[in-house]
Amino acid sequence: RYNDAIDDIIKALELDYDSKAFYLMQQVADSSFTEIATKIKVQCVKNPSNGYWLYCLGIINEHGKYYKKAIEQYKSSLQKDGSPITAYRIACCYKYIGDYSSAIEYIDFAIETDSIDYDYVLEKADLLYELGKTSDAISQLSKYINRYPDFYYGYYRRGFYRDNTYDVDGAIEDYSMSIVLEPRYAYAYLGRADMYRAK
């Protein structure tokens, strides 16, 4: 009974942007994309100054891997609310289609708008790496590590970048930090093993 489910999802989102309804919206879109997209478009017309419903359209399109359509809808949402999360989603969609330069533009917007969320910095590091700017990517990872010095993944990722710039000792140091902080993360052991082999 997808139509009934969609009506309830829309109502829940309308009441308080319910997170469970937001998740269900994406799941229902797998089976009834046109129907839920239509109901969300109705909400866009009813609430022309609210970017949230355009954001929801972007989410279901991104979920369905319609990245170019998602980008259009996210951009329309961004014009209304200027949300860093929306800019981040645009950057992710550009990344998925291989347009890393455009992705950088929007991740920079997210970072400028919200200087507290360092997940954006981590994303920027990955984008710079994809553009072949590995030293800049390492610099971004160092910022991330300074913010979260006890989180293993920042060290692992910087180790991976150092690994790919033939900084063997730097990579071993970062992989070792990652292993100490999270002994169950297998990729850090594999990365360090590659570096030991290189030595």
Side-chain angles (χ1 to χ4, degrees):
R1 296 171 57 182
Y2 291 117
N3 282 331
D4 291 339
I6 290 166
D7 287 341
D8 282 351
I9 288 166
I10 296 294
K11 187 63 178 177
L13 292 172
E14 195 175 21
L15 288 171
D16 64 1
Y17 308 124
D18 182 79
S19 60
K20 187 173 182 182
F22 188 78
Y23 172 77
L24 287 173
M25 172 189 74
Q26 296 170 67
Q27 301 310 303
V28 168
D30 289 338
S31 301
S32 296
F33 182 88
T34 301
E35 291 80 1
I36 196 160
T38 299
K39 294 288 179 78
I40 295 171
K41 286 174 184 174
V42 168
Q43 293 300 315
C44 291
V45 174
K46 287 181 176 178
N47 304 277
S49 61
N50 185 344
Y52 177 73
W53 296 105
L54 286 163
Y55 179 78
C56 288
L57 276 177
I59 286 289
I60 63 171
N61 275 281
E62 182 182 349
H63 180 76
K65 297 185 169 63
Y66 307 120
Y67 299 123
K68 290 183 179 178
K69 191 68 177 171
I71 288 167
E72 290 175 23
Q73 288 150 350
Y74 285 143
K75 283 183 177 180
S76 296
S77 176
L78 188 65
Q79 288 176 346
K80 295 178 186 296
D81 61 22
S83 168
I85 295 171
T86 306
Y88 170 71
R89 295 267 37 105
I90 295 170
C92 289
C93 287
Y94 273 125
K95 180 174 75 172
Y96 296 144
I97 62 175
D99 186 349
Y100 302 115
S101 296
S102 295
I104 287 280
E105 177 187 342
Y106 283 92
I107 206 67
D108 279 342
F109 177 90
I111 291 168
E112 289 165 15
T113 309
D114 182 358
S115 59
I116 295 171
D117 192 335
Y118 269 64
D119 286 343
Y120 301 147
V121 173
L122 185 63
E123 183 66 28
K124 182 174 181 178
D126 281 342
L127 292 169
L128 288 166
Y129 176 76
E130 294 293 347
L131 283 168
K133 299 180 178 181
T134 310
S135 61
D136 291 339
I138 290 169
S139 175
Q140 291 297 311
L141 254 297
S142 295
K143 289 181 188 177
Y144 184 83
I145 288 167
N146 287 337
R147 177 72 173 179
Y148 303 112
D150 56 352
F151 183 50
Y152 76 96
Y153 188 74
Y155 296 100
Y156 165 74
R157 201 70 186 145
R158 189 173 67 181
F160 177 76
Y161 295 155
R162 286 178 165 170
D163 178 336
N164 285 276
T165 56
Y166 308 106
D167 178 3
V168 173
D169 290 331
I172 288 171
E173 182 181 347
D174 278 339
Y175 286 142
S176 296
M177 287 288 292
S178 180
I179 288 165
V180 170
L181 292 169
E182 178 46 83
R184 295 171 298 175
Y185 192 63
Y187 287 108
Y189 292 98
L190 292 170
R192 189 169 69 176
D194 282 341
M195 294 298 93
Y196 284 149
R197 182 176 61 180
K199 286 176 77 72

